[in-house]
Amino acid sequence: MKHPLHPALAHFPIACWTLATFADVGSRWWGDPAWRVAGGLLLIGAISALATMAAGFLELMKIPNDSPALRVANRHLLMAVITWSCYTASLMLRVHDRTLHPPDALALALSAIGFLALCATGWLGGTLVYTHGVGVHREQTDELHASALPPSRHKPG
């Protein structure tokens, strides 16, 4: 596959977990419907994140050992695992006897910490792509930039 799968999959857990965090905050005003939605989004986010992290790990294996991007990629991986752990623990604290219950203070705190970790993970992912060019085919990027330049007014020779 020419296009890396990881960036395409990353949108699912990001969207689910962001909306779950907002629903958790909103549950203070909207009550039952909001925290129930948050619980479902946490579950979908946790499951989709497993596929996303697996695809990301395959991309990680392509980074050369001497690349400065490897250090950023390892931080990105660590933050992704922290994010997944916080949100999954928040979900587990809401489930009792296979039934979803309102989040307690610890579940809400883990959701908030997970959101901060999610933001850091995204920032590091952006750094990998936009600063280090990870997952970007350089020859295609060079062709794109060359085609965007105005034609030269000087004739060669």
Side-chain angles (χ1 to χ4, degrees):
M1 180 183 292
K2 288 186 179 184
H3 186 283
L5 187 58
H6 176 71
L9 294 176
H11 295 88
F12 295 100
I14 291 170
C16 288
W17 287 335
T18 300
L19 291 171
T21 303
F22 291 148
D24 274 345
V25 171
S27 70
R28 293 302 182 204
W29 294 277
W30 300 312
D32 198 45
W35 64 257
R36 288 191 185 281
V37 166
L41 288 167
L42 288 172
L43 178 62
I44 295 167
I47 292 168
S48 64
L50 292 175
T52 304
M53 289 190 292
F57 188 74
L58 294 175
E59 291 301 313
L60 174 69
M61 304 312 292
K62 296 177 185 177
I63 300 174
N65 287 336
D66 60 344
S67 172
L70 188 59
R71 184 173 162 175
V72 177
N74 285 327
R75 286 183 184 158
H76 176 69
L77 171 65
L78 175 63
M79 291 308 298
V81 170
I82 290 170
T83 301
W84 185 86
S85 299
C86 287
Y87 278 119
T88 302
S90 179
L91 175 62
M92 292 297 118
L93 289 171
R94 300 162 194 246
V95 177
H96 308 288
D97 298 325
R98 297 184 190 178
T99 304
L100 189 64
H101 293 275
D104 59 10
L106 180 57
L108 291 173
L110 284 169
S111 190
I113 293 167
F115 183 72
L116 294 174
L118 179 65
C119 292
T121 304
W123 180 270
L124 291 167
T127 301
L128 286 170
V129 173
Y130 296 110
T131 302
H132 297 285
V134 172
V136 176
H137 296 287
R138 288 289 181 198
E139 56 278 350
Q140 291 174 349
T141 305
D142 293 341
E143 289 173 15
L144 179 65
H145 288 294
S147 68
L149 296 174
S152 175
R153 293 180 186 211
H154 298 92
K155 293 183 181 180

